Amino acid sequence: MLTQINGLHHVTSLASGAQANNAFFTKDLGLRRVKKTVNFDAPEVYHLYYGDETGTPGSVMTYFPFPHAARGRPGLGEVGTTVFAVPKGTLGYWQERFETLGTPGLDRSSSFGEERLHFTGPDGDAFALVETEDGRAPWSGNGVAADEAIRGFHSAHLRVSDGGATEELLKFMGYEEDDRDGDTVRLRIPNGNGADVIDLQTLKGANYAKQGAGSVHHLAFSVDNHETQLEVRKALTDTGYGVTPVIDRDYFWAIYFRSPGGVLFEVATNEPGFDRDEDTAHLGESLQLPNQHAHLRKVLEEKYLEPIED
């Protein structure tokens, strides 16, 4: 069993427009945009990162906003709901805030002894807030006070047709069974980074998801550094998983592999961080380009990347 994984690092999803995506995460949810860059493989598309003040692993929601992308279809083989942690006693504040903003999909539910507030993003993205005792420092610079602000991720909810193999993988990655509720098993990293819960739901007979705007593209797990990432890669490869070589993503190193349930997993390093090319006080303010795309700045800004109003 691996011991190097801390919990989630980031969650990356697809969107249909950069401006609406940016407004929702910074103005409605009160998160900080910690990086404005481009997709390494499609530089005409932004890669936007939102999180706490410094983009601490376990707090970062990232998006590829492909202009006018068609909506995804929810189903099996995907992250069904991305769940954020908020302080105890604040769901009422968030429900009132979302009602005022006209946020769609509002609903209350309870599972694993926790009350949660469901809502959807601009592309039908499924989210929830859960009240927790969480000591992580929030970002409070976008109109949400620190007493109510999002602390980072709480969990990710995965929907698969046969959870056994994915559960086995997650346990190999260091997760332990925490509880069961009907068709869902809760797995948790002991002494994790706060974003250390996976809820794995097994659904029989449902349709498979079709990826599009509003869909989670991949789920990234956190390791401390490049050395521990190589240890994880070797262990996964030795177990039979087809893991990519290490890829430099400027702000972390990444490896990818497909989980048995169909969800694309990434293992990302906590280093070097989002301040490698911007001062912490100015994270996310200007367009940062990977070295291989730096020569495209003029054409990208003038022809492809829509202006984002902050």
Side-chain angles (χ1 to χ4, degrees), residues 202-245:
T202 299
L203 292 173
K204 301 292 187 181
N207 292 325
Y208 279 85
K210 181 180 179 181
Q211 200 162 84
S215 302
V216 171
H217 183 270
H218 62 264
L219 191 65
F221 298 87
S222 156
V223 293
D224 289 338
N225 52 46
H226 194 45
E227 180 181 357
T228 53
Q229 183 187 60
L230 291 175
E231 293 169 356
V232 170
R233 184 181 186 279
K234 183 179 186 305
L236 289 168
T237 302
D238 289 347
T239 308
Y241 286 94
V243 186
T244 67

Side-chain angles (χ1 to χ4, degrees), residues 4 30 50 56 69 75 85 101 144 159 162 180 214 225 264 288 293:
Q4 297 91 338
Y50 311 99
T56 305
L101 292 168
V144 179
R159 295 188 293 243
D162 181 359
R180 287 187 182 264
N225 52 46
L264 181 61
Q288 303 297 318
H293 299 319

Side-chain angles (χ1 to χ4, degrees), residues 12-308:
T12 294
S13 293
L14 306 175
S16 63
Q19 180 58 49
N21 183 260
N22 181 81
F24 178 74
F25 281 95
T26 60
K27 294 181 171 60
D28 295 11
L29 296 189
L31 298 178
R32 185 183 196 188
R33 191 181 70 220
V34 294
K35 194 62 58 182
K36 180 169 66 171
T37 183
V38 296
N39 186 314
F40 271 71
D41 302 314
E44 69 278 7
V45 175
Y46 279 118
H47 193 176
L48 304 175
Y49 294 76
Y50 311 99
D52 64 11
E53 182 179 12
T54 60
T56 305
S59 78
V60 182
M61 189 82 207
T62 99
Y63 271 86
F64 301 133
F66 287 86
H68 313 297
R71 284 272 180 103
R73 183 186 67 203
L76 299 176
E78 69 170 357
V79 176
T81 307
T82 303
V83 185
F84 294 99
V86 294
K88 290 284 190 179
T90 62
L91 282 191
Y93 162 85
W94 281 102
Q95 182 161 353
E96 182 177 346
R97 178 179 178 84
F98 288 155
E99 288 172 349
T100 301
L101 292 168
T103 305
L106 293 183
D107 187 34
R108 291 274 193 122
S109 73
S110 180
S111 63
F112 296 104
E114 299 167 335
E115 188 175 3
R116 59 183 58 201
L117 175 64
H118 298 266
F119 60 101
T120 57
D123 290 297
D125 331 42
F127 297 111
L129 301 178
V130 169
E131 294 182 346
T132 64
E133 298 287 351
D134 196 316
R136 290 177 288 175
W139 168 252
S140 57
N142 282 343
V144 179
D147 287 345
E148 291 86 26
I150 289 170
R151 266 43 184 175
F153 295 121
H154 169 273
S155 58
H157 171 255
L158 279 58
R159 295 188 293 243
V160 297
S161 61
D162 181 359
T166 302
E167 181 178 345
E168 182 179 354
L169 167 63
L170 288 166
K171 287 179 175 177
F172 178 73
M173 292 169 63
Y175 283 81
E176 297 179 359
E177 182 175 335
D178 188 65
D179 201 356
R180 287 187 182 264
D181 185 355
D183 57 8
T184 304
V185 57
R186 168 159 288 187
L187 301 158
R188 188 188 300 269
I189 290 279
N191 303 311
N193 63 3
D196 45 27
V197 172
I198 298 292
D199 289 335
L200 180 62
Q201 183 180 20
T202 299
L203 292 173
K204 301 292 187 181
N207 292 325
Y208 279 85
K210 181 180 179 181
Q211 200 162 84
S215 302
V216 171
H217 183 270
H218 62 264
L219 191 65
F221 298 87
S222 156
V223 293
D224 289 338
N225 52 46
H226 194 45
E227 180 181 357
T228 53
Q229 183 187 60
L230 291 175
E231 293 169 356
V232 170
R233 184 181 186 279
K234 183 179 186 305
L236 289 168
T237 302
D238 289 347
T239 308
Y241 286 94
V243 186
T244 67
V246 175
I247 302 172
D248 184 354
R249 296 303 194 195
D250 281 357
Y251 312 108
F252 47 86
W253 285 284
I255 56 175
Y256 302 87
F257 63 103
R258 187 72 60 177
S259 70
V263 182
L264 181 61
F265 282 2
E266 173 184 346
V267 178
T269 62
N270 292 354
E271 58 180 16
F274 294 101
D275 60 355
R276 68 173 296 274
D277 55 6
E278 291 181 295
D279 183 84
T280 299
H282 299 285
L283 288 178
E285 293 180 4
S286 59
L287 178 66
Q288 303 297 318
L289 295 177
N291 288 336
Q292 65 267 39
H293 299 319
H295 66 288
L296 299 174
R297 178 176 293 275
K298 182 177 175 63
V299 68
L300 291 176
E301 292 183 325
E302 293 181 356
K303 185 176 181 180
Y304 292 105
L305 301 176
E306 63 177 290
I308 298 177

